[in-house]
Structures are given as C-alpha cells and as structure tokens.
Amino acid sequence: MARIAVIGAGTGAMAAAARLAVAGEKVTVYERSASYGGSVGRHEHEGFVFDTGPGLLHLPAVQRDLFVKTGKESLEQCVSLTQVDPASRHLFADGTAVSLPNASRAGIAAALDGALGAGAGARWSDFMDRARDAWDRSRRPLLEEPLRPDHQVLGRDSYPAVRQRRLLRPARQAGTVAEIGAWELADPRLAALLDGYALAHGLDPRTAPASAALLPYMEQTFGSWYVEGGMRELARAVYERCVARRVTFVFGAEVVRVVEKDGRAAGVELADGEVAEADRVVLGVRPRPGLVPGQVWGADDVAVRAGAAGRFTVLLSLRGGREADAVHRTVVHGADGAAEQEAVFGGRVAAHPTVTVLRPDDPATRPDAEHEAVTLTATTAPQGPVDWRDPEVRRRFADVLVERATGAVPGLRERILHTEVRTPAETEAETGAEGGAVPPPALAGAAGAYLHPGNLTRLPGLYLAGGWAHPGGGLAHAGMSGTLVAGLVVEGDGFRGSR
C-alpha cells in the first residue's frame, strides 16, 4: 500500500483519489480551503441556492464510469440527473431567437431552418458531420490517453475544413473557429452560435483552432444534463464516494511545496511547516512557482498555459415564480463578436458581452414557487488586466449583464430582491488560480498551443490532475485526468488508457 498525497480537492483530483483508494492505496487529500469541489461551488442566501461554477453537465459517461469503478452505487443512485430540453435558447442581435432540442441532430437542423431560414440547418449539420470526423480522429489521443511523448502529433488540427476555391485567388481552408463561422457557416447568427461555444470554454474564436468544433459536437451529441439541487450535489457525491473508500481529507491545509528526496517526489510541505511524507504526489491545482521542483518539465514538454479568461457571474434572487414555458439556459449573443473578443482577450471590459442565463426549474434552488433563482454568466478578462475588486467596475458590469438578460427573463429588473456578484477576483481567492482564470479544454492543432501539461511529469512520483493538466478544463475533462492519473500510478508509466 503506497501513501499518496493529493493536492487540492477539485473534482479531477477527487476522481483520482477515489480510483486510487479502490486500488488499495492510502490516499490523503490536502485542500487549502474549508471544503471540497474546487470551482464547483455553491452560494446560498435566504433560501436561494446558486451554482458558482458549472451549471450543466456534459459527457456524463465520465462521471458514470467513476461511480461504476469505485463502488456499488451508480451515479444516478447518488444524484438525480435530468436532461435539459430544450438544451438552449439563443437570442441573436437581430432579434432572431431559436431553441435547440437536446441531443437531436435532426431536431436542431429543423429548429435552425425554422428560425434562421431554409438552408441554415443543412449548413450546421454539414459542419457537425465534420466535427464528428474531428472527434473520431482525435478522441483517444486527446482525451482518453496520457499525453504522448510525441505530443507534437496533436499539433495538427483534426478538423477536416472545407477547401474553398476562389476566382483568381488561392484556395482557402478554415483554421480557426472564427474562420469556420465566416467561411463555412456563412451566416452571422450561425457564426455567433459557434463562437458562443468557444467563449463559454474561455477560448478566443479568432485564434482557437478549428478542432474546437469538438465542443458543440460533444454537447449536441451526448446532451446537456442538470443535477437536481445544483452541480454542487455532484461534487458532494464524489466527495462522499472518496470518504466511503477511506480517502482522508485535510481542509485548511495549504501546500506550499512538493518535497523532493533522492530525485523523486517524497511528500508535501504545508504552510505551517509540517511535512507529510508520501510515496507519490498528485498535484490537482494549477502549478505555480515554488510549488514544484524545477525539473518537473523539460524543454520538449507542454508548458503550463497562461492568460486564460475568467468568469463574471451575477446571482439574482427574484420575486415571482418561473413561467411554465421558461427555458433552463438562454444564451444572449452580442452584436459585435469581434469587439467582444478583442475586449475579453485584450484585458478590457466588454461593452456588449455574450451572457448565459440559467433558470433551473428546481424547488431546491428557491424558497418557494413564488420566487426564482437566476444566474447570469459572461466570459471576461482575468483579475489583473481588469481590477475586479473595484466596486464601481463590478457594479457597472453587473448592470450590463442584467440589462442584456432582460430579453430572457420577463420583468427581470423589477423582480430583483438581492444581487450577489462573483468575479475572477473571488475565483482567485477561493481556488488559488492566478487571476481567477478558468482552464479551457485541450484542443488539437495550433502546433500544440492548446494542450496542457501531461499527467506524468519528469519528476518520478509526481503526477498532474485537474483542469490545468491534460486533457484540460471542464467537469468531463477534469474527470478524465483523474482516470489517467490513477492508471499511471497503478499500472505504471506505460499505461495508455482504458480500452
């Protein structure tokens, strides 16, 4: 039985901890905050309950596999999952609105034709066919295997862009999300729809490789799911599974250094000076200077990503019940996507941000049927380029989000009882992520610029899990990282993923 120290209690780190404990290892998790879950948080106010991180679950097979492999009770026996249908409603700048059904390619095509005009559904369906090809080409090496030593192979974009001939000019092929929208989808509303998927994951459509087509493909193929009681219930279930498997948690324990001895990871040093010895260490937080030894990465390794975007969230307690035909998720798209992207990824506050409005039909989130809990979210520049601690900056941008959301929530302003604002500054304080940045998922293409550091490091005994490690951020991707780390620890460095 090996002693394993896990740094951080995010969902990816806990997934690794539960799997390792089932394999017979003695696992201790050290978490700097007072609770588990990392970015999967919860805010409560006078009977209103809000998610402060992800609001929906995509690719639930990752979580189902975790519960199957770590105990008798399935995921559905531990939390209540419901499919969100329609999956999303989209409000475009020209006043057009469309509701997209959950996990129905034909239904989505029909909805787009009906709202945007004949041919829109076919163009989107053709794009999704190419996205499926990208998924088939890159799924295993990108998501289900540890990052290969020859990871440069993932520097090639897996998306089969359409080759477009042009009169008297060279043929062209889309290499970015924005170019797919402009050249293949050929409708500003379809382009905005695609851009919204990239933005929601903290990616700049102007530079994100075309392989980001995987993001709408995964959502529209495998569906959108809501955890009754909020996504925090999923984090609770994972935590309880860890405890049932005899994982030890130490909260309020900030790790300041991974201890190295005889050329391998040998434990962790806490902020109070205590050193906890271990045979292996799993780093489940964003690596920072001083935390890990200098020889963890070599010149040929993927670098730790920098400059990721943050999230600005407004939590609204509303008087008045949710109307019967309300949609769980509405995306209000901006009028000028290029200007929004220039602001967000240029370190400024966007004037007309894309806003996601979440209105769960869940009694657990509100005091009674005469009230409603609504969450507004926008992708923003991280803390630093913008000072999100400034009360006036916070107030003005929160007001912008509320104004943008009025088309999605009838009588919104008049119904507000209480407003809670959460910015990248709060994310930084609570999770320790520099600037409150939220890790994006890994993507193939762009010469490997969108990959994350591998789960296996050059320091023997030190492994990386969570959103800042391969295969990147998001609940599903972080869960995959936990699976990969457990496989590497149990089966050795030659582990190539489950088949």
Side-chain angles (χ1 to χ4, degrees):
M1 177 185 293
R3 299 167 300 172
I4 299 179
V6 177
I7 304 173
T11 55
M14 289 196 295
R19 290 176 182 273
L20 288 168
V22 167
E25 314 293 6
K26 182 178 181 181
V27 183
T28 302
V29 177
Y30 298 91
E31 168 57 46
R32 68 191 293 269
S33 70
S35 187
Y36 54 84
S39 63
V40 186
R42 169 180 285 170
H43 176 76
E44 301 182 30
H45 177 78
E46 296 182 352
F48 293 90
V49 177
F50 306 87
D51 285 320
T52 59
L56 292 172
L57 179 65
H58 302 113
L59 210 60
V62 175
Q63 308 299 332
R64 290 189 177 113
D65 183 71
L66 170 65
F67 280 79
V68 166
K69 299 293 176 56
T70 60
K72 296 181 179 178
E73 301 84 11
S74 68
L75 173 65
E76 280 80 358
Q77 288 176 297
C78 297
V79 297
S80 295
L81 285 178
T82 58
Q83 279 194 303
V84 177
D85 204 358
S88 57
R89 181 170 181 248
H90 296 264
L91 302 180
F92 299 104
D94 67 352
T96 306
V98 60
S99 292
L100 303 181
N102 197 351
S104 171
R105 288 279 302 275
I108 289 171
L112 291 172
D113 273 342
L116 308 187
R123 286 196 299 277
W124 185 263
S125 292
D126 289 345
F127 159 67
M128 291 297 285
D129 285 341
R130 295 188 291 276
R132 180 192 59 209
D133 290 344
W135 167 263
D136 291 340
R137 293 175 182 181
S138 63
R139 174 181 59 86
R140 184 161 181 80
L142 184 67
L143 302 177
E144 299 177 354
E145 295 179 351
L147 194 63
R148 295 163 49 171
D150 62 339
H151 59 263
Q152 292 82 0
V153 70
L154 288 171
R156 294 193 294 270
D157 201 315
S158 58
Y159 178 77
V162 176
R163 182 175 176 83
Q164 298 177 325
R165 291 189 172 91
R166 299 184 295 169
L167 184 64
L168 302 180
R169 288 181 292 174
R172 65 185 182 184
Q173 288 180 283
T176 67
V177 169
E179 289 172 350
I180 292 175
W183 302 347
E184 296 183 3
L185 298 178
D187 182 311
R189 296 162 299 183
L190 290 179
L193 176 62
L194 177 58
D195 285 355
Y197 283 99
L199 280 171
H201 289 83
L203 296 165
D204 184 347
R206 301 168 303 168
T207 57
S211 65
L214 293 180
L215 303 176
Y217 174 80
M218 286 190 290
E219 178 175 318
Q220 294 188 7
T221 300
F222 304 111
S224 298
W225 301 76
Y226 176 69
V227 180
E228 293 184 18
M231 293 300 296
R232 179 69 177 178
E233 287 300 293
L234 176 61
R236 174 198 56 77
V238 177
Y239 167 73
E240 290 180 353
R241 179 55 54 90
C242 286
V243 172
R245 302 282 81 82
R246 301 186 184 278
V247 174
T248 300
F249 284 81
V250 184
F251 295 109
E254 181 178 5
V255 174
V256 297
R257 183 172 65 93
V258 173
V259 175
E260 178 192 359
K261 183 178 180 181
D262 298 329
R264 63 177 294 112
V268 297
E269 179 182 346
L270 306 181
D272 62 5
E274 178 186 352
V275 173
E277 296 182 349
D279 300 300
R280 296 181 178 87
V281 176
V282 176
L283 182 63
V285 300
R286 187 176 189 178
R288 61 180 186 274
L291 180 60
V292 295
Q295 69 270 32
V296 167
W297 293 285
D300 297 330
D301 292 322
V302 174
V304 179
R305 288 183 55 85
R311 301 282 188 272
F312 189 102
T313 303
V314 182
L315 311 176
L316 298 175
S317 303
L318 303 184
R319 65 170 62 87
R322 182 181 187 273
E323 63 270 22
D325 60 350
V327 175
H328 187 115
R329 175 176 55 169
T330 299
V331 181
V332 183
H333 296 272
D336 189 340
E340 176 184 4
Q341 295 151 27
E342 179 64 33
V344 170
F345 299 98
R348 304 193 311 279
V349 179
H352 302 285
T354 297
V355 178
T356 298
V357 182
L358 295 181
R359 306 178 66 190
D361 185 13
D362 184 354
T365 65
R366 56 189 184 246
D368 52 52
E370 300 306 314
H371 294 85
E372 183 182 7
V374 171
T375 301
L376 316 179
T377 304
T379 298
T380 62
Q383 169 64 26
V386 176
D387 185 6
W388 293 114
R389 298 186 180 95
D390 185 321
E392 185 60 18
V393 173
R394 296 162 65 96
R395 184 196 65 78
R396 287 200 305 265
F397 197 58
D399 193 62
V400 168
L401 265 63
V402 171
E403 180 62 29
R404 301 273 297 136
T406 54
V409 185
L412 177 59
R413 285 193 180 277
E414 295 74 22
R415 297 174 58 193
I416 297 175
L417 295 171
H418 180 78
T419 301
E420 184 74 21
V421 173
R422 297 180 59 84
T423 77
E426 280 75 34
T427 304
E428 181 178 47
E430 294 175 5
T431 69
E434 182 180 355
V438 179
L443 298 172
Y450 288 81
L451 299 177
H452 293 256
N455 312 104
L456 182 67
T457 75
R458 297 199 176 199
L459 180 64
L462 178 63
Y463 304 84
L464 304 185
W468 294 106
H470 177 74
L475 283 171
H477 290 70
M480 294 175 197
S481 78
T483 302
L484 296 176
V485 165
L488 287 166
V489 171
V490 174
E491 298 187 26
D493 295 358
F495 173 71
R496 299 312 305 158
S498 302
R499 292 188 180 272

